[in-house]
Every structure is written in structure tokens, then in C-alpha cells.
Amino acid sequence: MALRDILIAPHAKLKTKAAPVEAVDDELRRLMDDMLETMYAAPGIGLAAPQVGVMQRLIVLDVAGKDGPPAPMCLVNPEIVARGEDTVVAEEGCLSLPEIYAEVERHARVFVRFTDREGEVREMDTDGLLARCVQHELDHLDGVLFVDHLSALKRKMLLRKLAKLQREKERQTA
Ligand code: K1U
Ligand code: ZN
């Protein structure tokens, strides 16, 4: 397993739609393992392949938290096949937008179809943090960041803040 670099916005790959995975093979399972290791190290609760520069429709998640045993999930070609009517607003972060947080409105419940690590097609009914994380990661596969759900003014403000934080970080490490 290996840690991969996480792309930071603005990066063209984070604004690009990813292509469907054609085969679940050992190479893809290696990528899944690298992504899980990278996600746990960050630390984060999800990661999409475009965030590590791989333009394929693959996401990994673990919303179990530190109180329970790890519950890693790998979803290949995930798609939302049904959405509940209710929406919920909660704060989100993103490993590609470090230190930037905002409240985002999402569907409270989504039904997801995906292919698993063994190549089997599965379905999952999600709510709570898992539903939020699945929607956030699926957005990454379509080149959408959580700030794209905000007003243009708020998005501009947050992206300016990110650019300033990144400049400061570069100055400190130079
Ligand atoms: O996709 C990503 O950038 C990962 C992102 C996922 C996410 C966070 C919040 C709501 C929806 C989706 C993160 O994991 S940001 C880090 C984070 O939320 C976290 C980190 C450590 C412990 C608990 C949460
Ligand atoms: Zn993200």
C-alpha cells in the first residue's frame, strides 16, 4: 500500500468528470487500498479517485468514527438511484479544500447502486453521515466541489481564503 498525494483546489482534475471503471481487477484493488490508506492518514471519512489524480469513478469511505471498529467501503461506478424528499443542512470539509468549511444542503437519504471490491453489483440505503459523505464523494466524480453548492459570493470568499492559506503554507515550507 502507498500514500498518494491529494490534489488541492484549484486543480483542473478536480473540475473534470471521471470515466466509468471498466474492470474490477488487482490493479484497481491496489488503488482502493492506496486510497483507503491516504484517507485514514489525512484523516478523512471519504476520498474520491480524482482527488488523487485518477480520473475513474471510484470512491472509498469510512464513517464509523474512532469509537467503533474500522468499516472501510469501496464503491466502484456508484450511482444514486433514488433520493428521499427531505433535505438536511450540515457543515462539510474537503481534503482538497484544507481548512475550509461551510454548511451544505444535501438529501437526508439516498439509495446507491455500485460495484463492490469483488466486482459484484450491490445496493445500499443510506442516511445520516453516510448519505452526506456518499453525495460529497459522488460530486467529486462529476467535478463538483462542496463550495459549488454555495452562492457565488460565498464560494469566491472561501476560495480566496484557501488561496491565502496555501500561500502562507508555501512560505512556511520554503
Ligand atoms: O472527499 C473529501 O474531501 C473527504 C471529506 C469527506 C466529507 C466530509 C464531511 C462531509 C462530507 C464528506 C473529509 O473527510 S473532510 C475531513 C472530515 O470530515 C473528518 C476528518 C476526521 C474526522 C472526522 C471527519
Ligand atoms: Zn471532498
Side-chain angles (χ1 to χ4, degrees), residues 30-46:
R30 257 195 305 278
L31 172 61
M32 291 172 182
D33 291 341
D34 287 357
M35 285 173 58
L36 282 168
E37 189 181 354
T38 304
M39 178 191 80
Y40 287 126
I45 56 172

Side-chain angles (χ1 to χ4, degrees), residues 43-47 51 92-96 132-133 136-137 140:
I45 56 172
L47 192 67
Q51 291 181 278
E92 293 191 12
C94 178
L95 299 176
S96 295
R132 176 164 295 275
C133 196
H136 178 115
E137 302 310 331
H140 276 302

Side-chain angles (χ1 to χ4, degrees), residues 97-111:
L97 301 164
E99 295 176 66
I100 300 295
Y101 303 92
E103 303 234 296
V104 180
E105 184 174 13
R106 301 274 188 194
H107 290 277
R109 186 174 175 205
V110 291
F111 198 72

